[in-house]
Amino acid sequence: MKETEIIKLVKERLGIDELNEMQQSALNAWKAGGGDLVLYSPTGTGKTLAFALCLLQALKPPMQRLQAVVMAPSRELVMQTSEILRVLAVDYKVTPCYGGHAVADEKASLAVTPDVVVATPGRLLDHHKRGHIDLSGTRLLVLDEMDKALELGFEDEMRRLIKVMPRINRRIMASATVLDEVPDYVRLHNPFTLNVLEQDDLPSERIKVWQVVSDDKDKLETLRQLLLSLDGGKTIVFANFRESVERIHQALHKQRFSVGIYHGALDQQQRETAVAMLNNGSINILVSTDLASRGLDIDTVAHIVHYHLPINGQTYVHRNGRTARVDASGNAYVITAPDEPLPEWIAVDEPFTLEPSGKPAKATMSTLYFQAGKKEKLSRGDIMGFIANNGGVEPSAIGRIDVRDHYSLAAVPRNQAQQVLALLQQAKIKGKKVRISLLK
């Protein structure tokens, strides 16, 4: 694809008027050299879009052959990257493959050879072993968050996959952390390294860090007062253990906060739904393990709360990277128990004074769940028209719509949700009755 065409699509489909300096530098470096690109850039600076632009620029016209493979260490990163590529890669088939996704659906999608596959290493290797995909003709390879992939033990899978892709002629390696040594099996050729980790105006410069001192070792009451002291903007509360996340979520839910939960023991649909509800305004708070510190596409998070101190400086940086994305500012709150020292890698700007209001801020939207999705031939436009024509709500009041393989989510004003649901349950969408419910 030509650069002018790509930039036009970015503006029209993503609403981004111009690339940031890092993205333009990455694209220029990719076009100028015939070698590989190593991109080190902080979380929240638009790294995914940067390597997606380079990939698109290198794609040849669709040829019913696999041209590119993107490997990422988590299903969340796979979903985020594949969504961006699907939006921008007009006329190209992009197929995501990841654990927790139905193998049968992926096999069916791979039956018509995609131009680009975005996958976790383990799932891609599984499809290769089953003969669902021929990787031998792949020319372009992207390794996203390589440091995390190695940390999670994907080295063996990546080594075996790259071995069966002998025709790779260009590679992109993207990470928010500099690797001490790039593994030999990646086979970098004439690499250009773009490192913007040390540049000014990084997300960390736009985040104000507050210390919140708890009177008790159990920080739940302090967390409650802190949340009541904030402005109701999107908030992610990080804790170190699943059990703690469950306990915090349960306590906040009982106290009438609009709160969701996110951790690795939940199934994929539960996790996707929690993120969608935070994005569409149906909840204000997400309580999570560090699983949510990377790879999630969450708009305009105002506050990060460290309920437990992060286990290391890298985790701290990635947690904070959920806020102050692109050019926004944000806040991070570090709750400390009595006599709990701050590690040297946490620099506090000032202490935070708790001034709790009377009641938790209520979410402005509610989420309708449709038991049908892409595989049932539903689109965002279908759902938008269905709600507008049958739900008694103005089109401008309908919020974000997310369409997955076998289900869809649509946000409607909270104060109209029950009435809208009742009206929609009596109607048909595309001539069919679809089960619709309201998510709590």
Side-chain angles (χ1 to χ4, degrees):
M1 295 177 68
K2 295 181 180 179
E3 182 181 354
T4 52
E5 181 182 355
I6 294 170
I7 300 302
K8 182 181 178 182
L9 287 169
V10 169
K11 184 174 183 178
E12 291 178 350
R13 300 197 167 203
L14 297 180
I16 298 173
D17 290 330
E18 60 181 356
L19 304 182
N20 64 32
E21 185 176 349
M22 177 274 291
Q23 292 163 344
Q24 190 63 61
S25 296
L27 186 55
N28 290 343
W30 179 253
K31 291 188 303 176
D36 300 334
L37 174 65
V38 178
L39 174 61
Y40 294 124
S41 185
T43 299
T45 52
K47 190 164 62 272
T48 302
L49 179 57
F51 71 68
L53 296 174
C54 296
L55 186 66
L56 290 170
Q57 194 273 332
L59 287 179
K60 294 181 179 179
M63 56 183 71
Q64 294 186 323
R65 276 177 22 202
L66 182 64
Q67 297 192 51
V69 169
V70 181
M71 283 196 279
S74 71
R75 63 189 74 180
E76 289 78 16
L77 277 168
V78 168
M79 291 166 61
Q80 175 182 319
T81 302
S82 61
E83 190 64 29
I84 288 176
L85 287 171
R86 278 172 165 170
V87 169
L88 297 177
V90 179
D91 298 328
Y92 291 90
K93 183 181 180 184
V94 179
T95 299
C97 301
Y98 52 88
H101 198 206
V103 174
D105 285 345
E106 292 181 355
K107 179 184 177 182
S109 184
L110 292 169
V112 178
T113 305
D115 299 281
V116 182
V117 166
V118 188
T120 53
R123 179 53 68 95
L124 185 60
L125 185 61
D126 183 55
H127 281 300
H128 168 69
K129 288 179 177 178
R130 294 171 186 249
H132 298 164
I133 185 170
D134 179 7
L135 298 170
S136 62
T138 306
R139 298 184 306 104
L140 303 164
L141 174 66
V142 178
L143 300 175
D144 189 19
E145 298 286 11
M146 181 114 176
D147 62 307
K148 190 66 175 177
L150 296 177
E151 179 184 310
L152 292 176
F154 283 125
E155 180 173 358
D156 183 56
E157 285 93 341
M158 290 192 295
R159 186 188 298 273
R160 293 162 70 183
L161 286 165
I162 292 174
K163 188 175 181 178
V164 299
M165 293 187 275
R167 297 182 185 176
I168 296 171
N169 55 35
R170 296 198 76 179
R171 302 157 187 81
I172 303 172
M173 197 188 82
S175 177
T177 304
V178 176
L179 293 177
D180 293 332
E181 184 178 359
V182 177
D184 291 338
Y185 64 80
V186 177
R187 302 201 300 267
L188 286 178
H189 171 68
N190 191 25
F192 176 86
T193 299
L194 177 61
N195 186 347
V196 298
L197 292 173
E198 302 302 325
Q199 289 186 4
D200 293 333
D201 196 32
L202 298 181
S204 59
E205 302 296 325
R206 304 192 302 273
I207 299 173
K208 188 163 186 176
V209 181
W210 307 81
Q211 182 176 9
V212 184
V213 179
S214 175
D215 293 334
D216 300 308
K217 187 175 181 180
D218 186 334
K219 302 175 182 178
L220 268 178
E221 175 57 23
T222 302
L223 174 63
R224 184 188 73 84
Q225 293 187 39
L226 171 61
L227 294 174
L228 290 174
S229 300
L230 303 182
D231 58 11
K234 289 178 188 172
T235 302
I236 302 180
V237 178
F238 284 105
N240 291 344
F241 312 104
R242 290 177 185 171
E243 296 79 5
S244 301
V245 168
E246 294 277 0
R247 177 172 177 261
I248 294 166
H249 173 260
Q250 186 177 41
L252 294 179
H253 182 71
K254 285 182 178 179
Q255 294 162 7
R256 306 284 185 175
F257 286 92
S258 297
V259 61
I261 186 170
Y262 192 95
H263 60 63
L266 302 174
D267 66 37
Q268 182 63 22
Q269 183 170 325
Q270 289 173 312
R271 287 155 62 176
E272 290 175 358
T273 299
V275 173
M277 291 179 71
L278 185 64
N279 267 328
N280 71 24
S282 295
I283 58 174
N284 300 327
I285 303 163
L286 186 68
V287 185
S288 178
T289 59
D290 287 315
L291 185 64
S293 66
R294 295 200 195 202
L296 295 188
D297 184 15
I298 301 176
D299 303 328
T300 58
V301 175
H303 309 292
I304 298 298
V305 178
H306 301 273
Y307 184 87
H308 289 143
L309 294 181
I311 58 174
N312 55 42
Q314 185 176 335
T315 301
Y316 176 67
V317 169
H318 284 295
R319 284 183 180 183
N320 286 351
R322 297 300 92 201
T323 189
R325 299 181 72 81
V326 188
D327 57 358
S329 59
N331 295 281
Y333 305 86
V334 182
I335 304 178
T336 54
D339 302 320
E340 182 178 24
L342 285 173
E344 60 183 13
W345 31 265
I346 294 182
V348 174
D349 292 311
E350 60 182 281
F352 186 81
T353 302
L354 295 170
E355 296 179 349
S357 60
K359 295 181 179 179
K362 287 298 178 185
T364 58
M365 307 294 281
S366 290
T367 297
L368 295 172
Y369 175 88
F370 290 73
Q371 197 169 319
K374 294 175 185 175
K375 300 298 183 181
E376 290 73 35
K377 309 300 183 184
L378 277 191
S379 68
R380 288 187 180 91
D382 294 331
I383 294 172
M384 169 66 81
F386 175 66
I387 297 173
N389 293 330
N390 300 282
V393 59
E394 290 294 325
S396 59
I398 300 171
R400 178 167 171 153
I401 297 173
D402 292 277
V403 182
R404 305 298 184 186
D405 281 352
H406 295 291
Y407 74 96
S408 304
L409 306 172
V412 295
R414 183 185 182 92
N415 60 357
Q416 295 178 258
Q418 291 289 353
Q419 178 185 348
V420 172
L421 175 64
L423 291 170
L424 295 182
Q425 287 176 327
Q426 301 171 28
K428 293 182 178 181
I429 181 169
K430 298 185 76 171
K432 296 180 180 179
K433 289 286 288 185
V434 171
R435 186 176 178 181
I436 308 170
S437 57
L438 197 59
L439 293 181
K440 302 294 184 182

